[in-house]
Amino acid sequence: MKRSKIKTILIGLGRIGSSLETDPYRKKPCTHMGVLQSDWGKDQFEFILGMDRDPKKCESFQSFWKTQAERVDCDPKKVKFPKSIQLAVISTPSVFHEDWAIHCIRQGIPNLLIEKPVALSESGAKRIQKLASQYKTRIWINHERRYHPSYRYVKDQLTKGHLGNLKSIRASVFTSAKNPGLAFSKQGGGPLLHDGTHAVDLLHWLIGKPKLMEAKLEHPKKGAIESRAVAWFRSKTGVDVFLDVSGERKYFQFELDLHTDSHRIICSNDGFQFFQSESSKLYKGFQSLSPYEPPGFPNPKTANAFLGIYEEISQVIMGKKQTMEGTLSDNIEILNMIESIYRQKK
């Protein structure tokens, strides 16, 4: 008997929804539609319809993908969905995530994949969680690095103790205000909520929810979105975390620098580097960190996070897997961590 495919709609046809697939430098697929239209995606999902409030985005989407797109009202409550939809992917600007999620849940769509952040506030995420619990809706949040084979390798090796005992983490997310998208507007939040949320998610994934020790926000002018956020967290096991998120750089850089008692691991958009303690060639009687190639590390040319999250969605919907990575409860704690920084107001 032929297996039925998962009927899917895509709400929001902008960068992460579709248009970044034209970036010649990015590893494909790198968007939601890119996955759904990949050879693997077409075997798992039946794409029904793309939706956006911008008619130009709808036209561009239809022209590129040769499939249907529909302009929809800004108010989700006025939008009706095709029947028997099993998965809704919400990739609208952040300010609309909560309203679309609530509408999809009330319309009976049983599975949602929502772009980060799930809502603009912890209270908004809790409203989604409460309604999803009533309707028994499954929700994934697209913190895709949790599904990247390289990050999963590092977490697995740390969990097994193969990389020593974790002592500290330096997390940095640097972007440019000259090309911010919605990252510096009321719609997208500042760099901490818009881009830094990926780093905060990984920190939560690696060490659980830590306690905020100290934080500082910088604003270019009174009443403006923050231009920089720095914070010091400490986990229950004593791991110190130093977070630096800024929108005032002339480049994009995402990096976690992990130090254990015997290793250093750099996880970056530029690649991964591993160092281990060995007898020093610089100082007699000392130990130094030397670079090495870890056994079993995933091939960077084939590793893809977007495929990972959609593979889990497919397996869960088809009943082949029960557990879900990155739950809504996790994301509520992540938003709590971010809001704890905002509350400092130093």
Side-chain angles (χ1 to χ4, degrees):
M1 183 177 177
K2 188 176 181 180
R3 175 181 56 82
S4 60
K5 298 179 182 180
I6 300 165
K7 291 181 171 59
T8 304
I9 57 171
L10 174 61
I11 305 169
L13 309 180
R15 287 165 55 81
I16 203 66
S18 169
S19 63
L20 284 178
E21 209 67 29
T22 62
D23 186 335
Y25 300 117
R26 292 179 183 254
K27 186 182 300 179
K28 308 299 188 301
C30 61
T31 64
H32 294 290
M33 194 60 180
V35 174
L36 295 171
Q37 293 297 288
S38 67
D39 290 341
W40 175 85
K42 287 180 178 179
D43 187 55
Q44 306 293 321
F45 302 89
E46 180 184 350
F47 180 74
I48 303 298
L49 181 65
M51 299 179 174
D52 201 283
R53 59 178 181 158
D54 186 341
K56 291 184 178 180
K57 288 182 179 178
C58 291
E59 292 173 8
S60 177
F61 181 86
Q62 289 184 136
S63 175
F64 185 79
W65 297 107
K66 309 302 179 187
T67 190
Q68 187 177 2
E70 179 180 296
R71 184 189 177 281
V72 293
D73 196 280
C74 294
D75 182 0
K77 292 190 289 293
K78 296 181 180 180
V79 178
K80 293 183 179 180
F81 298 120
K83 294 181 179 180
S84 303
I85 296 300
Q86 297 166 276
L87 172 67
V89 181
I90 300 173
S91 60
T92 65
S94 304
V95 69
F96 303 116
H97 288 177
E98 182 182 344
D99 288 345
W100 276 108
I102 288 174
H103 181 60
C104 288
I105 294 170
R106 290 191 184 280
Q107 290 295 304
I109 298 178
N111 302 283
L112 306 182
L113 170 57
I114 308 173
E115 264 302 320
K116 57 78 188 170
V118 60
L120 292 183
S121 65
E122 179 185 0
S123 58
K126 286 182 176 178
R127 284 191 289 270
I128 296 173
Q129 184 186 50
K130 182 178 180 180
L131 192 63
S133 178
Q134 293 175 8
Y135 282 77
K136 302 189 184 306
T137 309
R138 288 179 293 225
I139 295 179
W140 286 263
I141 314 303
N142 192 35
H143 285 296
E144 76 274 5
R145 285 177 177 83
R146 287 191 181 217
Y147 297 88
H148 195 289
S150 299
Y151 284 96
R152 294 176 76 91
Y153 174 89
V154 171
K155 185 179 185 339
D156 179 65
Q157 294 297 298
L158 284 170
T159 301
K160 292 177 178 177
H162 296 168
L163 297 174
N165 297 313
L166 190 59
K167 295 296 185 181
S168 65
I169 304 174
R170 179 183 59 80
S172 55
V173 185
F174 300 137
T175 62
S176 171
K178 292 182 179 180
N179 186 24
L182 293 175
F184 291 81
S185 73
K186 297 298 182 182
Q187 289 191 334
L192 176 60
L193 180 62
H194 189 271
D195 292 308
T197 182
H198 278 300
V200 176
D201 172 70
L202 286 176
L203 296 173
H204 184 281
W205 186 50
L206 290 170
I207 63 173
K209 185 186 176 187
K211 179 181 179 181
L212 180 65
M213 308 300 291
E214 191 171 346
K216 179 180 179 181
L217 294 174
E218 296 179 4
H219 300 268
K221 58 183 179 180
K222 187 176 181 179
I225 296 292
E226 89 278 352
S227 57
R228 187 184 184 196
V230 292
W232 166 30
F233 290 95
R234 176 168 288 171
S235 76
K236 293 180 180 179
T237 57
V239 178
D240 285 301
V241 176
F242 305 96
L243 175 68
D244 189 352
V245 183
S246 173
E248 297 183 319
R249 307 302 170 98
K250 296 181 180 180
Y251 52 85
F252 171 70
Q253 179 69 38
F254 183 99
E255 183 174 281
L256 295 187
D257 190 353
L258 295 84
H259 283 260
T260 74
D261 55 3
S262 58
H263 288 72
R264 180 187 181 191
I265 310 100
I266 299 176
C267 312
S268 167
N269 58 296
D270 293 322
F272 284 61
Q273 300 176 62
F274 294 81
F275 303 83
Q276 61 186 357
S277 176
E278 294 180 352
S279 296
S280 177
K281 297 179 181 179
L282 300 174
Y283 312 103
K284 186 176 180 180
F286 281 73
Q287 295 285 112
S288 292
L289 288 171
S290 299
Y292 75 102
E293 296 291 335
F297 185 71
N299 184 347
K301 293 182 179 180
T302 58
N304 189 296
F306 258 96
L307 289 173
I309 189 169
Y310 272 89
E311 183 176 6
E312 179 179 280
I313 291 171
S314 174
Q315 289 180 346
V316 170
I317 293 176
M318 295 298 181
K320 298 179 181 179
K321 184 179 180 181
Q322 300 299 319
T323 58
M324 295 168 55
E325 185 66 79
T327 64
L328 189 50
S329 295
D330 283 348
N331 279 267
I332 288 172
E333 291 192 350
I334 290 162
L335 284 168
N336 180 269
M337 290 171 63
I338 291 173
E339 290 186 4
S340 70
I341 296 174
Y342 284 138
R343 286 193 291 269
Q344 290 281 338
K345 294 183 179 180
K346 291 184 179 181

